[in-house]
Short mmCIF file of all heavy atoms in Angstrom, two decimals:
data_model
loop_
_atom_site.label_atom_id
_atom_site.label_comp_id
_atom_site.label_asym_id
_atom_site.label_seq_id
_atom_site.Cartn_x
_atom_site.Cartn_y
_atom_site.Cartn_z
N MET D 1329 0.84 -1.15 -0.04
CA MET D 1329 -0.04 0.00 0.02
C MET D 1329 0.87 1.21 -0.03
O MET D 1329 1.84 1.36 0.85
CB MET D 1329 -0.96 -0.06 1.24
CG MET D 1329 -1.74 1.24 1.42
SD MET D 1329 -2.74 0.99 2.93
CE MET D 1329 -4.15 1.92 2.39
N TYR D 1330 0.57 2.13 -0.87
CA TYR D 1330 1.38 3.40 -0.96
C TYR D 1330 0.98 4.38 0.13
O TYR D 1330 -0.21 4.55 0.33
CB TYR D 1330 1.20 4.01 -2.39
CG TYR D 1330 1.80 3.25 -3.48
CD1 TYR D 1330 1.06 2.71 -4.49
CD2 TYR D 1330 3.21 3.05 -3.50
CE1 TYR D 1330 1.62 1.92 -5.49
CE2 TYR D 1330 3.79 2.41 -4.57
CZ TYR D 1330 2.98 1.80 -5.50
OH TYR D 1330 3.63 1.11 -6.50
N VAL D 1331 2.01 4.96 0.65
CA VAL D 1331 1.82 6.07 1.60
C VAL D 1331 1.98 7.39 0.88
O VAL D 1331 1.16 8.32 0.93
CB VAL D 1331 2.76 6.01 2.78
CG1 VAL D 1331 2.61 7.25 3.68
CG2 VAL D 1331 2.42 4.77 3.61
N CYS D 1332 3.00 7.42 0.06
CA CYS D 1332 3.31 8.57 -0.77
C CYS D 1332 3.09 8.25 -2.26
O CYS D 1332 3.84 7.54 -2.86
CB CYS D 1332 4.73 9.02 -0.61
SG CYS D 1332 5.21 10.38 -1.70
N ASN D 1333 1.95 8.67 -2.78
CA ASN D 1333 1.61 8.39 -4.11
C ASN D 1333 2.50 9.10 -5.17
O ASN D 1333 2.74 8.61 -6.25
CB ASN D 1333 0.13 8.71 -4.39
CG ASN D 1333 -0.86 7.82 -3.66
OD1 ASN D 1333 -0.56 6.63 -3.65
ND2 ASN D 1333 -1.89 8.25 -3.16
N CYS D 1334 2.95 10.26 -4.74
CA CYS D 1334 3.79 11.04 -5.67
C CYS D 1334 5.04 10.28 -6.03
O CYS D 1334 5.58 10.35 -7.16
CB CYS D 1334 4.10 12.43 -5.10
SG CYS D 1334 2.73 13.59 -4.93
N ASN D 1335 5.64 9.69 -4.96
CA ASN D 1335 6.91 9.09 -5.15
C ASN D 1335 6.83 7.48 -5.16
O ASN D 1335 7.83 6.82 -5.32
CB ASN D 1335 7.87 9.44 -4.01
CG ASN D 1335 8.26 10.89 -4.13
OD1 ASN D 1335 8.97 11.27 -5.08
ND2 ASN D 1335 7.84 11.73 -3.20
N GLY D 1336 5.65 6.96 -5.01
CA GLY D 1336 5.52 5.51 -4.90
C GLY D 1336 6.14 4.80 -3.74
O GLY D 1336 6.68 3.78 -3.81
N VAL D 1337 6.09 5.49 -2.64
CA VAL D 1337 6.76 4.96 -1.37
C VAL D 1337 5.72 4.26 -0.57
O VAL D 1337 4.59 4.77 -0.27
CB VAL D 1337 7.43 6.06 -0.52
CG1 VAL D 1337 7.93 5.50 0.81
CG2 VAL D 1337 8.53 6.76 -1.33
N THR D 1338 5.97 2.99 -0.27
CA THR D 1338 4.99 2.10 0.43
C THR D 1338 5.17 2.19 2.01
O THR D 1338 6.16 2.70 2.46
CB THR D 1338 5.20 0.64 0.01
OG1 THR D 1338 6.45 0.19 0.53
CG2 THR D 1338 5.07 0.49 -1.44
N ARG D 1339 4.20 1.62 2.59
CA ARG D 1339 4.23 1.52 4.07
C ARG D 1339 5.55 0.79 4.61
O ARG D 1339 6.15 1.19 5.49
CB ARG D 1339 3.01 0.80 4.68
CG ARG D 1339 1.70 1.57 4.42
CD ARG D 1339 0.54 0.62 4.72
NE ARG D 1339 0.54 -0.10 5.89
CZ ARG D 1339 0.09 0.38 7.05
NH1 ARG D 1339 -0.45 1.59 7.13
NH2 ARG D 1339 0.29 -0.24 8.18
N ARG D 1340 5.79 -0.26 3.87
CA ARG D 1340 6.98 -1.04 4.33
C ARG D 1340 8.26 -0.25 4.08
O ARG D 1340 9.16 -0.25 4.95
CB ARG D 1340 7.08 -2.34 3.37
CG ARG D 1340 8.26 -3.23 3.81
CD ARG D 1340 8.28 -4.46 2.88
NE ARG D 1340 8.41 -4.13 1.52
CZ ARG D 1340 9.41 -3.71 0.77
NH1 ARG D 1340 10.61 -3.66 1.43
NH2 ARG D 1340 9.34 -3.50 -0.50
N GLU D 1341 8.29 0.55 3.08
CA GLU D 1341 9.52 1.44 2.84
C GLU D 1341 9.59 2.54 3.83
O GLU D 1341 10.70 2.93 4.22
CB GLU D 1341 9.47 1.95 1.38
CG GLU D 1341 9.69 0.87 0.32
CD GLU D 1341 9.41 1.29 -1.04
OE1 GLU D 1341 8.55 2.14 -1.25
OE2 GLU D 1341 10.10 0.71 -1.90
N VAL D 1342 8.45 3.14 4.25
CA VAL D 1342 8.51 4.03 5.34
C VAL D 1342 8.94 3.51 6.61
O VAL D 1342 9.89 4.06 7.27
CB VAL D 1342 7.04 4.67 5.53
CG1 VAL D 1342 6.98 5.50 6.79
CG2 VAL D 1342 6.57 5.48 4.36
N ASP D 1343 8.56 2.23 6.91
CA ASP D 1343 9.04 1.56 8.11
C ASP D 1343 10.56 1.28 8.04
O ASP D 1343 11.38 1.44 8.97
CB ASP D 1343 8.29 0.24 8.36
CG ASP D 1343 6.94 0.51 9.02
OD1 ASP D 1343 6.63 1.67 9.44
OD2 ASP D 1343 6.04 -0.34 8.96
N GLU D 1344 11.05 0.94 6.86
CA GLU D 1344 12.42 0.61 6.70
C GLU D 1344 13.29 1.94 6.98
O GLU D 1344 14.29 1.87 7.68
CB GLU D 1344 12.78 0.28 5.25
CG GLU D 1344 12.32 -1.09 4.85
CD GLU D 1344 12.53 -1.41 3.35
OE1 GLU D 1344 12.99 -0.52 2.62
OE2 GLU D 1344 12.16 -2.53 2.93
N ALA D 1345 12.71 3.10 6.55
CA ALA D 1345 13.47 4.32 6.86
C ALA D 1345 13.38 4.70 8.28
O ALA D 1345 14.39 5.23 8.90
CB ALA D 1345 12.81 5.47 5.97
N ILE D 1346 12.24 4.41 8.93
CA ILE D 1346 12.19 4.73 10.33
C ILE D 1346 13.10 3.88 11.17
O ILE D 1346 13.86 4.41 12.05
CB ILE D 1346 10.70 4.48 10.90
CG1 ILE D 1346 9.71 5.46 10.27
CG2 ILE D 1346 10.57 4.54 12.42
CD1 ILE D 1346 8.24 5.21 10.52
N VAL D 1347 13.24 2.61 10.77
CA VAL D 1347 14.23 1.69 11.44
C VAL D 1347 15.65 2.13 11.19
O VAL D 1347 16.50 2.02 12.10
CB VAL D 1347 13.98 0.20 10.99
CG1 VAL D 1347 15.21 -0.68 11.44
CG2 VAL D 1347 12.67 -0.32 11.54
N ALA D 1348 15.89 2.71 10.08
CA ALA D 1348 17.23 3.14 9.68
C ALA D 1348 17.49 4.53 10.42
O ALA D 1348 18.66 5.04 10.29
CB ALA D 1348 17.35 3.31 8.18
N GLY D 1349 16.53 5.12 11.08
CA GLY D 1349 16.79 6.31 11.92
C GLY D 1349 16.27 7.64 11.31
O GLY D 1349 16.59 8.73 11.81
N ALA D 1350 15.37 7.56 10.29
CA ALA D 1350 14.76 8.79 9.75
C ALA D 1350 13.99 9.51 10.90
O ALA D 1350 13.24 8.90 11.66
CB ALA D 1350 13.79 8.46 8.65
N GLN D 1351 14.25 10.80 11.07
CA GLN D 1351 13.66 11.56 12.12
C GLN D 1351 12.50 12.34 11.72
O GLN D 1351 11.81 12.97 12.55
CB GLN D 1351 14.75 12.51 12.73
CG GLN D 1351 15.93 11.72 13.38
CD GLN D 1351 15.58 11.02 14.58
OE1 GLN D 1351 15.01 11.51 15.45
NE2 GLN D 1351 15.89 9.73 14.63
N GLY D 1352 12.25 12.49 10.40
CA GLY D 1352 11.08 13.26 9.92
C GLY D 1352 10.60 12.81 8.58
O GLY D 1352 11.29 12.04 7.91
N PRO D 1353 9.45 13.24 8.17
CA PRO D 1353 8.89 12.74 6.86
C PRO D 1353 9.93 12.93 5.74
O PRO D 1353 9.98 12.15 4.88
CB PRO D 1353 7.61 13.57 6.72
CG PRO D 1353 7.21 13.96 8.08
CD PRO D 1353 8.50 14.07 8.87
N GLU D 1354 10.50 14.12 5.68
CA GLU D 1354 11.35 14.48 4.58
C GLU D 1354 12.58 13.46 4.55
O GLU D 1354 13.07 13.05 3.49
CB GLU D 1354 11.89 15.92 4.70
CG GLU D 1354 10.86 16.95 4.35
CD GLU D 1354 10.02 17.42 5.62
OE1 GLU D 1354 10.20 16.67 6.67
OE2 GLU D 1354 9.17 18.18 5.42
N GLU D 1355 13.00 13.10 5.79
CA GLU D 1355 14.14 12.09 5.88
C GLU D 1355 13.77 10.73 5.44
O GLU D 1355 14.51 10.00 4.82
CB GLU D 1355 14.75 12.08 7.30
CG GLU D 1355 15.45 13.29 7.70
CD GLU D 1355 16.00 13.16 9.06
OE1 GLU D 1355 16.35 12.10 9.55
OE2 GLU D 1355 16.27 14.28 9.75
N VAL D 1356 12.38 10.35 5.71
CA VAL D 1356 11.92 9.11 5.25
C VAL D 1356 11.89 9.06 3.66
O VAL D 1356 12.41 8.14 3.10
CB VAL D 1356 10.46 8.91 5.71
CG1 VAL D 1356 9.86 7.72 4.96
CG2 VAL D 1356 10.55 8.60 7.24
N LEU D 1357 11.43 10.12 3.04
CA LEU D 1357 11.49 10.17 1.59
C LEU D 1357 12.91 10.20 1.08
O LEU D 1357 13.22 9.53 0.06
CB LEU D 1357 10.60 11.39 1.15
CG LEU D 1357 9.12 11.39 1.43
CD1 LEU D 1357 8.41 12.59 0.96
CD2 LEU D 1357 8.51 10.11 0.83
N ALA D 1358 13.78 11.03 1.67
CA ALA D 1358 15.14 11.11 1.28
C ALA D 1358 15.86 9.72 1.37
O ALA D 1358 16.67 9.51 0.47
CB ALA D 1358 15.85 12.23 2.05
N HIS D 1359 15.51 8.95 2.38
CA HIS D 1359 16.09 7.59 2.51
C HIS D 1359 15.86 6.84 1.22
O HIS D 1359 16.71 5.96 0.90
CB HIS D 1359 15.46 6.94 3.66
CG HIS D 1359 15.98 5.50 3.97
ND1 HIS D 1359 17.11 5.27 4.67
CD2 HIS D 1359 15.42 4.33 3.62
CE1 HIS D 1359 17.33 3.97 4.73
NE2 HIS D 1359 16.31 3.38 4.10
N HIS D 1360 14.83 7.10 0.48
CA HIS D 1360 14.53 6.27 -0.74
C HIS D 1360 14.83 7.17 -1.92
O HIS D 1360 14.29 6.86 -3.00
CB HIS D 1360 13.08 5.84 -0.69
CG HIS D 1360 12.78 4.82 0.40
ND1 HIS D 1360 13.32 3.55 0.38
CD2 HIS D 1360 12.14 4.98 1.56
CE1 HIS D 1360 12.96 2.89 1.57
NE2 HIS D 1360 12.22 3.76 2.26
N GLY D 1361 15.54 8.19 -1.73
CA GLY D 1361 16.07 9.05 -2.92
C GLY D 1361 14.92 9.94 -3.45
O GLY D 1361 14.89 10.35 -4.61
N CYS D 1362 13.90 10.23 -2.56
CA CYS D 1362 12.77 11.00 -3.11
C CYS D 1362 12.68 12.37 -2.20
O CYS D 1362 13.37 12.55 -1.16
CB CYS D 1362 11.46 10.28 -2.78
SG CYS D 1362 11.42 8.64 -3.59
N GLU D 1363 11.83 13.22 -2.57
CA GLU D 1363 11.58 14.48 -1.87
C GLU D 1363 10.08 14.75 -2.03
O GLU D 1363 9.46 14.34 -2.97
CB GLU D 1363 12.47 15.58 -2.29
CG GLU D 1363 12.33 15.97 -3.76
CD GLU D 1363 13.32 17.08 -4.11
OE1 GLU D 1363 14.47 17.08 -3.53
OE2 GLU D 1363 12.98 17.86 -4.92
N PRO D 1364 9.54 15.50 -1.04
CA PRO D 1364 8.15 15.79 -1.10
C PRO D 1364 7.66 16.56 -2.43
O PRO D 1364 8.47 17.38 -2.88
CB PRO D 1364 7.83 16.70 0.11
CG PRO D 1364 9.04 16.43 1.08
CD PRO D 1364 10.17 16.13 0.13
N CYS D 1365 6.53 16.24 -2.94
CA CYS D 1365 5.96 16.98 -4.02
C CYS D 1365 4.78 17.67 -3.55
O CYS D 1365 4.86 18.86 -3.23
CB CYS D 1365 5.58 15.96 -5.17
SG CYS D 1365 7.01 15.10 -5.81
N CYS D 1366 3.60 17.03 -3.39
CA CYS D 1366 2.43 17.73 -2.93
C CYS D 1366 2.34 17.88 -1.43
O CYS D 1366 1.66 18.78 -0.98
CB CYS D 1366 1.18 16.94 -3.41
SG CYS D 1366 0.83 15.42 -2.49
N GLY D 1367 3.03 17.03 -0.70
CA GLY D 1367 3.09 17.04 0.75
C GLY D 1367 1.99 16.39 1.46
O GLY D 1367 1.95 16.43 2.70
N ARG D 1368 1.02 15.81 0.76
CA ARG D 1368 -0.16 15.15 1.47
C ARG D 1368 0.19 14.02 2.35
O ARG D 1368 -0.46 13.68 3.36
CB ARG D 1368 -1.20 14.70 0.37
CG ARG D 1368 -2.19 15.79 0.07
CD ARG D 1368 -3.23 15.23 -0.87
NE ARG D 1368 -3.17 16.05 -2.08
CZ ARG D 1368 -3.35 15.61 -3.28
NH1 ARG D 1368 -3.65 14.33 -3.45
NH2 ARG D 1368 -3.22 16.41 -4.28
N CYS D 1369 1.32 13.37 2.03
CA CYS D 1369 1.67 12.24 2.85
C CYS D 1369 2.40 12.59 4.10
O CYS D 1369 2.52 11.70 5.03
CB CYS D 1369 2.50 11.32 1.92
SG CYS D 1369 4.10 12.02 1.37
N LEU D 1370 2.88 13.75 4.15
CA LEU D 1370 3.81 14.15 5.27
C LEU D 1370 3.19 13.97 6.69
O LEU D 1370 3.79 13.38 7.61
CB LEU D 1370 4.39 15.51 5.10
CG LEU D 1370 5.16 15.80 3.81
CD1 LEU D 1370 5.68 17.22 3.68
CD2 LEU D 1370 6.22 14.75 3.63
N PRO D 1371 1.88 14.43 6.94
CA PRO D 1371 1.31 14.12 8.26
C PRO D 1371 1.20 12.66 8.56
O PRO D 1371 1.41 12.22 9.67
CB PRO D 1371 -0.07 14.77 8.08
CG PRO D 1371 0.09 15.80 7.01
CD PRO D 1371 1.02 15.26 6.03
N GLU D 1372 0.86 11.81 7.57
CA GLU D 1372 0.76 10.43 7.85
C GLU D 1372 2.08 9.77 8.17
O GLU D 1372 2.26 8.89 9.09
CB GLU D 1372 0.14 9.64 6.62
CG GLU D 1372 -0.13 8.21 6.91
CD GLU D 1372 -0.94 7.49 5.80
OE1 GLU D 1372 -1.24 8.19 4.78
OE2 GLU D 1372 -1.13 6.32 5.91
N ILE D 1373 3.13 10.20 7.42
CA ILE D 1373 4.48 9.67 7.65
C ILE D 1373 4.91 10.13 9.10
O ILE D 1373 5.50 9.39 9.86
CB ILE D 1373 5.47 10.10 6.67
CG1 ILE D 1373 5.12 9.49 5.30
CG2 ILE D 1373 6.91 9.68 7.04
CD1 ILE D 1373 5.93 9.98 4.10
N ALA D 1374 4.68 11.41 9.46
CA ALA D 1374 5.04 11.95 10.75
C ALA D 1374 4.32 11.19 11.87
O ALA D 1374 4.88 10.84 12.88
CB ALA D 1374 4.71 13.40 10.85
N ASP D 1375 3.10 10.84 11.56
CA ASP D 1375 2.29 9.90 12.53
C ASP D 1375 3.02 8.60 12.68
O ASP D 1375 3.13 8.07 13.85
CB ASP D 1375 0.86 9.80 12.03
CG ASP D 1375 -0.10 9.49 13.16
OD1 ASP D 1375 0.08 9.78 14.36
OD2 ASP D 1375 -1.19 8.85 12.76
N GLY D 1376 3.42 8.06 11.58
CA GLY D 1376 4.09 6.73 11.71
C GLY D 1376 5.34 6.84 12.51
O GLY D 1376 5.70 5.90 13.22
N ILE D 1377 6.16 7.90 12.31
CA ILE D 1377 7.38 8.05 13.07
C ILE D 1377 7.05 8.21 14.57
O ILE D 1377 7.65 7.59 15.41
CB ILE D 1377 8.17 9.34 12.55
CG1 ILE D 1377 8.62 9.13 11.08
CG2 ILE D 1377 9.29 9.68 13.51
CD1 ILE D 1377 9.19 10.35 10.42
N ALA D 1378 6.10 8.93 14.90
CA ALA D 1378 5.65 9.21 16.31
C ALA D 1378 5.20 7.95 16.94
O ALA D 1378 5.29 7.73 18.14
CB ALA D 1378 4.60 10.29 16.37
N CYS D 1379 4.61 7.01 16.17
CA CYS D 1379 4.07 5.80 16.71
C CYS D 1379 5.03 4.61 16.63
O CYS D 1379 4.75 3.51 17.00
CB CYS D 1379 2.77 5.41 16.00
SG CYS D 1379 1.42 6.63 16.32
N GLY D 1380 6.22 4.84 16.04
CA GLY D 1380 7.19 3.81 15.91
C GLY D 1380 6.97 2.92 14.76
O GLY D 1380 7.67 1.77 14.76
N GLY D 1381 6.21 3.23 13.81
CA GLY D 1381 6.06 2.43 12.65
C GLY D 1381 4.61 2.62 11.99
O GLY D 1381 3.74 2.92 12.76
N MET D 1382 4.48 2.41 10.75
CA MET D 1382 3.23 2.65 10.05
C MET D 1382 2.09 1.69 10.53
O MET D 1382 0.95 1.97 10.41
CB MET D 1382 3.34 2.50 8.53
CG MET D 1382 4.30 3.59 7.99
SD MET D 1382 3.71 5.26 8.33
CE MET D 1382 2.21 5.32 7.43
N GLY D 1383 2.48 0.54 11.12
CA GLY D 1383 1.51 -0.45 11.58
C GLY D 1383 0.75 0.06 12.82
O GLY D 1383 -0.13 -0.53 13.22
N ARG D 1384 1.33 1.08 13.42
CA ARG D 1384 0.81 1.53 14.71
C ARG D 1384 0.18 3.01 14.58
O ARG D 1384 -0.02 3.56 15.63
CB ARG D 1384 1.91 1.57 15.76
CG ARG D 1384 2.56 0.26 15.98
CD ARG D 1384 3.65 0.32 16.94
NE ARG D 1384 4.30 -0.99 17.15
CZ ARG D 1384 5.35 -1.17 17.85
NH1 ARG D 1384 5.99 -0.16 18.39
NH2 ARG D 1384 5.82 -2.39 17.91
N THR D 1385 -0.04 3.50 13.45
CA THR D 1385 -0.46 4.89 13.34
C THR D 1385 -1.85 5.00 13.83
O THR D 1385 -2.75 4.14 13.83
CB THR D 1385 -0.47 5.29 11.84
OG1 THR D 1385 -1.29 4.49 11.04
CG2 THR D 1385 0.99 5.33 11.31
N ARG D 1386 -2.11 6.24 14.29
CA ARG D 1386 -3.48 6.62 14.81
C ARG D 1386 -4.49 6.55 13.65
O ARG D 1386 -5.62 6.21 13.91
CB ARG D 1386 -3.38 8.00 15.43
CG ARG D 1386 -2.72 8.06 16.72
CD ARG D 1386 -2.59 9.51 17.25
NE ARG D 1386 -1.57 10.21 16.49
CZ ARG D 1386 -0.47 10.67 17.03
NH1 ARG D 1386 -0.26 10.50 18.31
NH2 ARG D 1386 0.39 11.28 16.36
N SER D 1387 -4.06 6.90 12.49
CA SER D 1387 -5.05 6.84 11.35
C SER D 1387 -5.56 5.49 11.11
O SER D 1387 -6.69 5.30 10.80
CB SER D 1387 -4.43 7.42 10.07
OG SER D 1387 -3.29 6.65 9.75
N LEU D 1388 -4.72 4.41 11.28
CA LEU D 1388 -5.07 3.06 11.11
C LEU D 1388 -6.10 2.63 12.28
O LEU D 1388 -7.09 2.07 12.05
CB LEU D 1388 -3.96 2.10 11.03
CG LEU D 1388 -3.24 2.03 9.68
CD1 LEU D 1388 -2.08 1.08 9.80
CD2 LEU D 1388 -4.16 1.62 8.59
N VAL D 1389 -5.74 3.11 13.50
CA VAL D 1389 -6.54 2.77 14.62
C VAL D 1389 -7.86 3.36 14.48
O VAL D 1389 -8.90 2.73 14.74
CB VAL D 1389 -5.90 3.21 15.93
CG1 VAL D 1389 -6.82 3.02 17.07
CG2 VAL D 1389 -4.57 2.43 16.11
N ALA D 1390 -7.93 4.56 14.00
CA ALA D 1390 -9.20 5.30 13.77
C ALA D 1390 -10.08 4.57 12.74
O ALA D 1390 -11.33 4.61 12.79
CB ALA D 1390 -8.96 6.72 13.40
N ALA D 1391 -9.37 4.00 11.71
CA ALA D 1391 -10.18 3.36 10.60
C ALA D 1391 -10.69 2.00 11.02
O ALA D 1391 -11.51 1.49 10.35
CB ALA D 1391 -9.18 3.23 9.37
N GLU D 1392 -10.13 1.47 12.13
CA GLU D 1392 -10.55 0.08 12.51
C GLU D 1392 -11.86 0.10 13.31
O GLU D 1392 -12.33 0.97 13.88
CB GLU D 1392 -9.44 -0.63 13.29
CG GLU D 1392 -8.30 -0.94 12.42
CD GLU D 1392 -7.14 -1.56 13.26
OE1 GLU D 1392 -7.16 -1.57 14.49
OE2 GLU D 1392 -6.23 -2.14 12.65
S1 LIG B 732 1.92 12.04 -1.58
FE1 LIG B 732 3.83 12.26 -0.85
S2 LIG B 732 4.56 14.10 -1.68
FE2 LIG B 732 2.58 13.85 -2.64
#
């Protein structure tokens, strides 16, 4: 599942960047050689960082 549609970055790839030490959404995208375009994914990625991974995001909990 894509988190960043502009760059084709998936949830798994976001988690890889978090595990590698990315501290912010821009660093997550940069880890995969990308940079923000529209910026719509940045809050979701920031939520994933705050929760320790995309599997624990508040947005997913809210959707369940
Ligand atoms: S969806 Fe990530 S920059 Fe547009």
Side-chain angles (χ1 to χ4, degrees):
M1329 177 181 211
Y1330 290 113
V1331 175
C1332 178
N1333 289 321
C1334 293
N1335 290 296
V1337 176
T1338 66
R1339 293 167 49 90
R1340 183 180 55 80
E1341 291 169 330
V1342 170
D1343 283 345
E1344 286 173 5
I1346 292 171
V1347 169
Q1351 299 291 308
E1354 291 86 357
E1355 289 184 27
V1356 167
L1357 295 178
H1359 179 82
H1360 296 290
C1362 307
E1363 57 187 36
C1365 297
C1366 73
R1368 269 184 242 146
C1369 62
L1370 301 182
E1372 185 174 358
I1373 295 173
D1375 203 25
I1377 293 168
C1379 294
M1382 294 304 293
R1384 300 178 181 172
T1385 59
R1386 287 177 285 247
S1387 58
L1388 281 178
V1389 172
E1392 290 178 348

